[in-house]
Amino acid sequence: MFDQLRKSVSKALKKITVTDFSQKSIAKVTKELKDVLIKNEVAVITAETISKNLAIKLSKTEHTRFTNAKSIVLASLKEVLLEVLTPEKPIDILAEIKKSKDKKTPYTIAFFGVNGVGKTLSIAKLGKFFNDNGFSCVFAAGDTFRAGSIQQLQKHGENLKIRVIAQTYGSDAAAVAFDAINHAVSKEIDVVLIDTAGRIETSSNLMSELQKICSVTEPDLKIFVGDALTGNSLISQVTLFNEKVGIDCSILNKIDADVKGGAAVSVTHISEKPILYLGIGQNYNDFEPFIPENIVDSIVPEK
Ligand SMILES: Nc1nc2c(ncn2[C@@H]2O[C@H](COP(=O)(O)OP(=O)(O)OP(=O)(O)O)[C@@H](O)[C@H]2O)c(=O)[nH]1
Ligand SMILES: [Mg+2]
């Protein structure tokens, strides 16, 4: 994970031979770093923010002729990256589910994203995770659009022993989600996970379907699911879904196959919402929490 980004940052920082922190030296270092970030698919606006904040931090740093310029740059870069990666309001999803359970209402989660980003597999992964943590789940087969999608979710349900509420293809996705919530209420099930059809960003029909699902079911959590491999188009996706349906957090999948690692850096910054999990493979346990400190440590070299 983040190997290429780490190598590139390391290479850029090796070039630091400055012993002073004049405006000129700072500009050189931060420009170099910005270019490296952009080359590794960090969104331009995020790369600019990192570079600008680093310049401000460095210009305020006390130093003498004998201080090690490079270690100061590394430490400052870590701080700046951490600020960019740390969401204003983190989400403790298990605690939120527990709160709903205490109120005897199911916690509902809707998953959104373009085609093939891993929405359905993320539902299965989280369903298993919630079960493992003592919460019961039901899946809503709200992708009534793509052939095979209902069977795909049912297969996961069979594997995980989680009930799937489904209707037929072409039926109203919001009605399916609503059925699943009613089922959860009557059977006292803790979490409802709503699958939705993958959509082409420009398809306004499918976007209005999502808005309908949201207005009918009022999900407790709206998750944008993205594919790290889509690079910069991920940024326009997260912005669009945020505008159209208002997301609460993101899941970023296929991090295992993403050599560059830039997307993970930009998504929190651009959406101003936390990344809940990173998908790191195709098995049910292949995900990990997004811990900004760990990401920073994977990107910025020790020395
Ligand atoms: N390597 C890897 N593959 C993943 C990950 N998440 C999902 N996939 C794979 O990506 C493919 C698409 O996953 P789905 O869960 O069907 O994606 P979706 O968003 O539901 O797709 P649509 O229903 O077509 O919109 C599958 O082959 C998954 O196994 C991940 O974190 N890593
Ligand atoms: Mg799907």
Side-chain angles (χ1 to χ4, degrees):
M1 240 200 276
F2 305 112
D3 271 0
Q4 188 174 321
L5 189 52
R6 184 188 178 88
K7 274 190 202 131
S8 311
V9 169
S10 180
K11 210 165 131 197
L13 295 176
K14 276 217 176 75
K15 290 189 194 158
I16 299 176
T17 47
V18 289
T19 47
D20 68 300
F21 279 108
S22 64
Q23 289 303 328
K24 203 172 149 205
S25 307
I26 291 175
K28 200 173 136 213
V29 170
T30 54
K31 161 87 172 58
E32 187 80 43
L33 198 72
K34 185 176 84 183
D35 293 348
V36 160
L37 293 173
I38 292 171
K39 270 192 203 123
N40 284 280
E41 289 182 351
V42 173
V44 172
I45 183 165
T46 306
E48 279 172 356
T49 303
I50 293 169
S51 152
K52 192 182 84 204
N53 293 358
L54 182 63
I56 294 170
K57 209 172 261 298
L58 288 178
S59 62
K60 286 186 188 155
T61 308
E62 292 276 334
H63 56 89
T64 68
R65 220 152 56 83
F66 303 106
T67 24
N68 181 342
K70 193 172 163 193
S71 68
I72 292 180
V73 174
L74 284 176
S76 306
L77 177 60
K78 278 194 170 188
E79 285 173 32
V80 167
L81 266 178
L82 196 60
E83 279 162 24
V84 165
L85 292 174
T86 305
E88 255 177 53
K89 270 208 317 211
I91 294 174
D92 182 346
I93 194 164
L94 293 177
E96 295 298 320
I97 294 172
K98 174 79 174 51
K99 270 192 235 162
S100 271
K101 188 179 168 75
D102 290 345
K103 284 190 273 180
K104 297 201 182 316
T105 54
Y107 189 80
T108 56
I109 310 176
F111 294 73
F112 309 128
V114 305
N115 301 289
V117 293
K119 292 176 294 299
T120 306
L121 184 60
S122 296
I123 287 175
K125 287 177 179 177
L126 283 187
K128 176 174 189 301
F129 174 67
F130 297 150
N131 269 352
D132 290 348
N133 280 277
F135 297 111
S136 54
C137 298
V138 61
F139 293 157
D143 180 356
T144 58
F145 183 75
R146 180 176 59 78
S149 69
I150 298 177
Q151 286 89 334
Q152 188 189 357
L153 191 64
Q154 279 165 337
K155 186 85 194 89
H156 289 307
E158 258 169 50
N159 294 344
L160 299 168
K161 302 191 172 48
I162 292 176
R163 175 88 186 260
V164 178
I165 302 296
Q167 293 179 12
T168 50
Y169 288 101
S171 57
D172 181 9
V176 176
F178 194 68
D179 271 2
I181 294 172
N182 282 338
H183 174 82
V185 170
S186 70
K187 304 280 180 201
E188 295 188 11
I189 288 169
D190 304 322
V191 193
V192 182
L193 297 98
I194 305 168
D195 197 10
T196 65
R199 46 215 70 223
I200 322 269
E201 292 143 271
T202 47
S203 164
S204 57
N205 273 355
L206 286 172
M207 274 299 179
S208 53
E209 181 186 276
L210 281 190
Q211 288 162 341
K212 185 172 174 198
I213 293 175
C214 291
S215 67
V216 170
T217 63
E218 297 183 345
D220 295 293
L221 196 70
K222 290 178 272 184
I223 303 183
F224 164 78
V225 185
D227 172 344
L229 300 176
T230 50
N232 267 313
S233 107
L234 183 69
I235 300 307
S236 50
Q237 289 167 25
V238 74
T239 309
L240 184 79
F241 280 86
N242 211 2
E243 261 170 37
K244 297 282 182 193
V245 284
I247 62 163
D248 299 304
C249 60
S250 306
I251 287 178
L252 210 48
N253 284 324
K254 311 192 193 179
I255 291 284
D256 51 307
D258 177 29
V259 288
K260 290 187 172 158
V265 176
S266 316
V267 166
T268 312
H269 179 238
I270 303 277
S271 66
E272 299 179 332
K273 300 288 159 59
I275 294 179
L276 197 58
Y277 291 106
L278 298 174
I280 52 167
Q282 307 201 44
N283 296 315
Y284 294 135
N285 292 324
D286 288 341
F287 66 97
E288 52 182 51
F290 182 84
I291 300 169
E293 287 80 2
N294 294 356
I295 307 290
V296 171
D297 287 342
S298 338
I299 295 173
V300 183
E302 282 305 312
K303 51 185 175 50

